[in-house]
Amino acid sequence: MSAVAVLAFAAAVQMGGEEGPSSSARGASAPVSAPASAVAVYEGREGALSVAAPWVAEADIAIDGRLSEAVWQKASLLTAFTQYDPVEGGAATQDTEVRMLVTDDAILFGIRARDSEPDGVRASLARRDQYGRSDDWVRIVLDTFGAQREAFVFQVNPLGIQGDGLWVEGGAGWGDPIDWSPDFLWSSEGRIDPEGYTVEMRIPLKSLRFPEASLQDWGLQVTRRIQRNGYESTWAPRTRAQANGLAQTGRIEGLRDLDPGVFLEVNPVLTGAKSGAWSSDSGRLAWTPSQQEVGLNVSYGLTSNLTLTGTVNPDFSQVEADAGQITVNERFALFLPERRPFFLEGTELFQMPRRLVYTRAIANPTGAAKVSGKVGGTNIAYLGAVDDLGGGAERPVFNILRVRRDVGASSTVGAVYTDRTLSGDDFNRVAGIDGRFIVGGRYTLEFLAAGSADGRQGAGADWGSLLSASLDRSGRSFSFGASFEDATEDFRARSGFIRRVGVTEAEANARYTFRGDRGALVESWGPSISVESLWDRAAFWSGAGALETQAELDMRVSLRGNLGVSVSLGRSTFNTPASDYTGLVVDGAQEVDGATPSAFTPRSGLFEGMLSLRFRSWIRSWERVRLSFSGGWSESPLFDRSTGAPVDLGARWNGEVGVTLIPTGSLQTELGLRHVTLRRPRDGSTYSSATIPRIQARYQFSRSIYGRVNAEYSSQDRGLLLDPATGRPIVFCEDGSCSARSASESHRLAIDALVGYEPSPGTVFFIGYARQANDPTAFGFQNVQTQSEGVFVKLSYRFRM
């Protein structure tokens, strides 16, 4: 389906809806809020969760974090928060008051967060969206459609630093299911004082999507977190016994004739870059001429809840490089998260039980367009793009369509279609249906059924299918989950990311949490267990045994003062069929020149054991240091890179250490170190080793001006795969010729620096530098050879009309 067809469908649906509001009608409406002399107070703990919309004709409020304007006395007052984490129920340990006003063009919040230990309030001039684990914060959640499925999230720390995103039920996130990728335009400011802190927020209606209805109600939740002890409280009481967090909110009632006005954003982008790459011919960097490019992003509000976005020659220069990943013993492709702003907007609509849409499959688009929003009870998203693979290759065209319909109180059903086409006979198309159902408040059932057609250069189309289903139970103490997935060998989703096909998988897990008293040394603890099995698909349906099984037991302990420790024990089994070893032979030429390779005899029933320890903590004496540690030992298979088959079983030692330093409110430094070593059991020699230290430092000169530096050293070595019986190398033979599995060694240093001015999302000025170099020996730092180097400048401005 083309973008034109999608727009035509949306327009047809809208013609049948209610008549749009007018600003004159809004001005004539009578205020619903209580008179100024009798401020309406809504005590969440007492069940007063229906807030009459506190509309005022004018709100001349300076967003300065002071709450000094008289108009705040007309605001609705939300009080009496209830503890949610780590111990549910009971009054919050600290008082929080939230004042709310609604005007013709915005919704405003004034927050007074009192604290009996004001010196313990944690706040920094942090990066947007990045302070959730270090600072105190207050979060406003607005379910503008009242559908209990998606909601806008606006979060502030005590200095008014912003965090924003979308709450998507069924999505993933740290803590609550929040996608922090979207950035909205809104205002906030905060101040710390001897009683705690105050924050003011102004959220324009243009930054929200909501129904075109003359009278509507919105879902509302307010959450406060105190970082020094990890306590969270909510205005509307919340429990883990319910699967849907948005079903546990209050409501803003009687919002009348909301009018976002004309929504048009134009974001021109100008970039300049100069780069050089190492030339072996000249023995130095060969610099290319300076390059300048102009790009353009445009967003237009077709309605108050449907947006058209387009981009030409998009620039992604502000995106940080992906953190290095350990690749010395991987069987499958690595997943990399999306970071590019254009593709991040509206990503929640493409979420499904499996990744049939993976926008990083679009590597270098020359142009793209997107339509996203909600029409009635139906979410619609369309993405079209033309990719440029470079090197004179053909340009694949992507068309992705997603439709999802609300069903019942908080369930959904949806459909997806993806098309990646190079030419008439070189294509990949996937169609699927999915659903998410909440049963009995605490049970979540999800399913996905998809089929693919994959054509390659006149060879005809291969047809494949994928089925998955899962059931989860939410509970305050006991929770469990189970899932099943079946993918045929010919299933291909080239617009998505499916790690493994031709297999059937089943998984089950259970968790129990014992909770102590608030403030006790042990506030919660409990075990969890998970079991997973994987079969060759044909073997599963014929009743044969599993190829791989894994069982893991975890014990978690949460201690007073936001400390946590967990220990894991696990065991895995690999029963790889002999057919997967086809072509692998033992090279006899290691000792006798010209000897004929002999067939490799695989070990059957490889077992893997695992023991790991994880620890996280804030050092309370400093109050500005966070430590995390994880490490463990396991018996891990050594995989052949081509077949993915386990050849031997080695001893694997791994560890990861993270230190976050916040010496001042403006400087934050993160130090990380990851290390993995695999040793051969035959003689204890090292098969592979990987060590990756990483340093990230960011200094915030003001809320808008910052500098950052990232440095990462990646040292990864891999030796030869050896036959466990003879110690000779294993080679791969096909069509009469054999090729050895060569060892690899890589020691790379990457540094990038950026100075940026970013007063609001989309309005930026960047100056950046990046360098990549090779080190001949691990951490030798002598004769380091620069491989590439470059500088870039970016200027963009986001015009909103």
Side-chain angles (χ1 to χ4, degrees):
M1 183 181 292
S2 67
V4 174
V6 174
L7 294 176
F9 169 72
V13 173
Q14 283 294 313
M15 289 179 65
E18 296 186 41
E19 187 176 64
S22 65
S23 58
S24 59
R26 182 66 189 91
S29 301
V32 183
S33 59
S37 59
V39 175
V41 180
Y42 300 89
E43 297 184 353
R45 195 165 57 252
E46 302 301 323
L49 301 177
S50 297
V51 182
W55 181 78
V56 293
E58 295 182 3
D60 187 14
I61 294 176
I63 304 301
D64 56 11
R66 295 185 186 276
L67 301 180
S68 56
E69 291 85 358
V71 71
W72 281 120
Q73 301 307 311
K74 299 180 180 180
S76 294
L77 182 61
L78 282 57
T79 65
F81 282 50
T82 301
Q83 193 80 26
Y84 171 66
D85 194 38
V87 180
E88 289 181 14
T93 59
Q94 306 292 340
D95 290 335
T96 307
E97 296 179 350
V98 179
R99 297 179 182 271
M100 181 178 65
L101 291 169
V102 180
T103 70
D104 280 338
D105 60 356
I107 182 168
L108 296 96
F109 293 92
I111 300 164
R112 158 53 78 183
R114 293 188 171 86
D115 200 311
S116 59
E117 299 180 38
D119 291 340
V121 172
R122 291 182 177 165
S124 60
L125 283 174
R127 184 179 180 183
R128 187 188 194 100
D129 297 336
Q130 299 298 311
Y131 56 80
R133 298 188 183 187
S134 60
D135 292 2
D136 291 11
W137 47 256
V138 175
R139 176 188 299 163
I140 305 293
V141 178
L142 295 174
D143 181 2
T144 55
F145 286 87
Q148 302 177 6
R149 295 164 179 85
E150 299 170 356
F152 290 89
V153 175
F154 299 91
Q155 182 172 292
V156 285
N157 77 353
L159 298 179
I161 303 301
Q162 297 179 357
D164 47 12
L166 290 170
W167 181 304
V168 183
E169 285 296 333
W174 173 73
D176 292 321
I178 299 174
D179 178 3
W180 295 102
S181 304
D183 292 328
F184 308 113
L185 287 176
W186 52 293
S187 305
S188 61
E189 187 63 71
R191 294 176 181 272
I192 301 175
D193 57 43
E195 295 184 9
Y197 61 92
T198 59
V199 178
E200 286 182 307
M201 306 165 62
R202 183 182 184 277
I203 304 170
L205 296 182
K206 284 187 177 182
S207 294
L208 301 171
R209 291 177 179 169
F210 48 85
E212 288 196 326
S214 59
L215 181 65
Q216 54 189 288
D217 301 338
W218 292 359
L220 172 66
Q221 180 64 287
V222 186
T223 303
R224 178 183 175 184
R225 181 173 179 86
I226 302 171
Q227 203 63 247
R228 65 178 178 272
N229 53 26
Y231 287 1
E232 284 188 24
S233 57
T234 60
W235 169 65
R238 187 179 168 195
T239 176
R240 292 176 179 82
Q242 280 193 262
N244 191 325
L246 294 181
Q248 305 176 65
T249 65
R251 300 187 71 78
I252 310 173
E253 296 185 336
L255 291 163
R256 295 179 178 274
D257 301 324
L258 298 180
D259 183 10
V262 177
F263 174 72
L264 174 64
E265 289 184 352
V266 181
N267 186 204
V269 181
L270 174 64
T271 61
K274 188 174 180 62
S275 61
W278 175 258
S279 172
S280 57
D281 295 334
S282 63
R284 57 186 178 85
L285 287 177
W287 289 86
T288 61
S290 300
Q291 298 178 336
Q292 297 81 36
E293 292 187 352
V294 177
L296 181 66
N297 304 309
V298 179
S299 295
Y300 177 68
L302 302 173
T303 68
S304 64
N305 52 14
L306 195 64
T307 303
L308 170 65
T309 306
T311 184
V312 177
N313 196 24
D315 169 70
F316 306 127
S317 57
Q318 76 273 29
V319 176
E320 294 183 24
D322 295 301
Q325 300 196 44
I326 295 174
T327 59
V328 290
N329 194 44
E330 294 296 325
R331 305 171 71 185
F332 310 109
L334 296 174
F335 174 81
L336 297 173
E338 181 61 85
R339 300 179 185 272
R340 300 170 295 179
F342 173 80
F343 292 108
L344 289 174
E345 295 293 335
T347 55
E348 75 281 358
L349 299 180
F350 293 112
Q351 290 187 7
M352 285 166 282
R354 294 295 179 267
R355 296 184 185 275
L356 298 185
V357 177
Y358 178 51
T359 52
R360 285 193 70 146
I362 307 172
N364 184 34
T366 57
K370 184 164 48 179
V371 178
S372 61
K374 193 165 189 174
V375 180
T378 303
N379 286 284
I380 299 172
Y382 165 80
L383 172 63
V386 178
D387 205 4
D388 185 0
L389 302 180
E394 294 185 66
R395 296 185 174 187
V397 177
F398 289 79
N399 285 283
I400 301 171
L401 176 64
R402 170 72 165 151
V403 179
R404 191 177 65 207
R405 177 72 181 177
D406 295 346
V407 177
S410 54
S411 302
T412 60
V413 293
V416 64
Y417 174 77
T418 70
D419 184 344
R420 180 188 185 274
T421 300
L422 271 173
S423 61
D425 57 357
D426 194 338
F427 61 86
N428 176 258
R429 294 169 188 143
V430 175
I433 58 173
D434 65 288
R436 182 174 187 270
F437 300 95
I438 305 297
V439 182
R442 64 173 61 197
Y443 294 92
T444 303
L445 173 64
E446 291 187 315
F447 77 89
L448 170 69
S452 69
D454 193 65
R456 287 299 180 98
Q457 299 180 348
D462 294 326
W463 298 83
S465 64
L466 180 146
L467 299 171
S468 75
S470 66
L471 175 67
D472 292 281
R473 179 193 189 272
S474 299
R476 183 176 182 272
S477 298
F478 175 68
S479 60
F480 72 80
S483 65
F484 174 85
E485 180 173 323
D486 180 82
T488 65
E489 192 165 353
D490 291 329
F491 183 79
R492 297 289 184 273
R494 303 191 190 279
S495 300
F497 185 88
I498 304 297
R499 193 182 297 271
R500 198 169 183 179
V501 296
V503 295
T504 301
E505 299 180 69
E507 186 266 342
N509 62 81
R511 177 172 180 165
Y512 197 92
T513 302
F514 298 90
R515 302 190 183 277
D517 296 330
R518 185 168 62 189
L521 175 61
V522 177
E523 293 184 320
S524 67
W525 67 278
S528 63
I529 186 171
S530 63
V531 180
E532 182 177 357
S533 294
L534 181 144
W535 294 263
D536 175 82
R537 184 175 183 272
F540 173 82
W541 293 108
S542 64
L547 297 178
E548 301 175 15
T549 60
Q550 177 180 329
E552 183 172 328
L553 175 65
D554 296 315
M555 178 62 70
R556 313 164 320 280
V557 180
S558 294
L559 304 174
R560 181 177 58 227
N562 201 12
L563 307 180
V565 179
S566 64
V567 180
S568 301
L569 293 170
R571 186 157 180 87
S572 301
T573 304
F574 295 83
N575 295 305
T576 308
S579 59
D580 284 7
Y581 295 93
T582 300
L584 293 181
V585 298
V586 179
D587 187 4
Q590 182 186 28
E591 296 179 357
V592 181
D593 187 31
T596 302
S598 59
F600 170 69
T601 303
R603 293 176 58 183
S604 61
L606 288 176
F607 292 95
E608 174 186 355
M610 181 269 290
L611 169 66
S612 68
L613 171 69
R614 292 183 292 274
F615 171 79
R616 61 175 175 80
S617 167
W618 281 99
I619 297 181
R620 289 181 57 82
S621 59
W622 289 8
E623 297 279 344
R624 291 189 176 275
V625 180
R626 183 178 188 271
L627 298 178
S628 64
F629 165 80
S630 64
W633 166 89
S634 65
E635 294 177 307
S636 181
L638 310 183
F639 296 105
D640 177 72
R641 283 172 285 160
S642 295
T643 64
V647 172
D648 199 358
L649 192 65
R652 182 179 189 269
W653 293 90
N654 68 282
E656 183 170 350
V657 178
V659 181
T660 300
L661 305 174
I662 311 177
T664 71
S666 299
L667 176 63
Q668 179 166 316
T669 302
E670 296 182 10
L671 311 175
L673 175 65
R674 286 182 291 159
H675 178 78
V676 174
T677 297
L678 273 167
R679 298 188 181 277
R680 300 183 180 94
R682 188 173 187 271
D683 56 6
S685 61
T686 299
Y687 167 67
S688 66
S689 177
T691 304
I692 304 180
R694 183 176 175 89
I695 301 175
Q696 297 176 291
R698 182 183 180 96
Y699 190 86
Q700 203 79 30
F701 298 94
S702 68
R703 291 186 61 173
S704 302
I705 303 174
Y706 65 91
R708 75 162 192 244
V709 177
N710 297 331
E712 180 180 278
Y713 191 103
S714 177
S715 175
Q716 303 195 46
D717 298 335
R718 180 177 56 231
L720 297 173
L721 276 176
L722 304 180
D723 177 35
T726 64
R728 294 175 177 174
I730 296 174
V731 300
F732 182 74
C733 297
E734 187 176 28
D735 298 330
S737 62
C738 298
S739 59
R741 292 285 182 262
S742 61
S744 64
E745 182 177 1
S746 173
H747 314 291
R748 297 179 180 178
L749 173 65
I751 299 174
D752 68 80
L754 182 73
V755 175
Y757 171 66
E758 192 170 4
S760 62
T763 298
V764 299
F765 176 67
F766 289 144
I767 300 177
Y769 167 82
R771 179 189 179 194
Q772 291 190 347
N774 287 343
D775 194 353
T777 60
F779 301 98
F781 297 106
Q782 295 181 1
N783 301 318
V784 175
Q785 179 62 62
T786 300
Q787 298 299 302
S788 62
E789 193 171 14
V791 295
F792 74 89
V793 177
K794 174 178 177 178
L795 175 65
S796 70
Y797 190 86
R798 187 175 181 178
F799 296 92
R800 170 175 279 191
M801 307 171 194

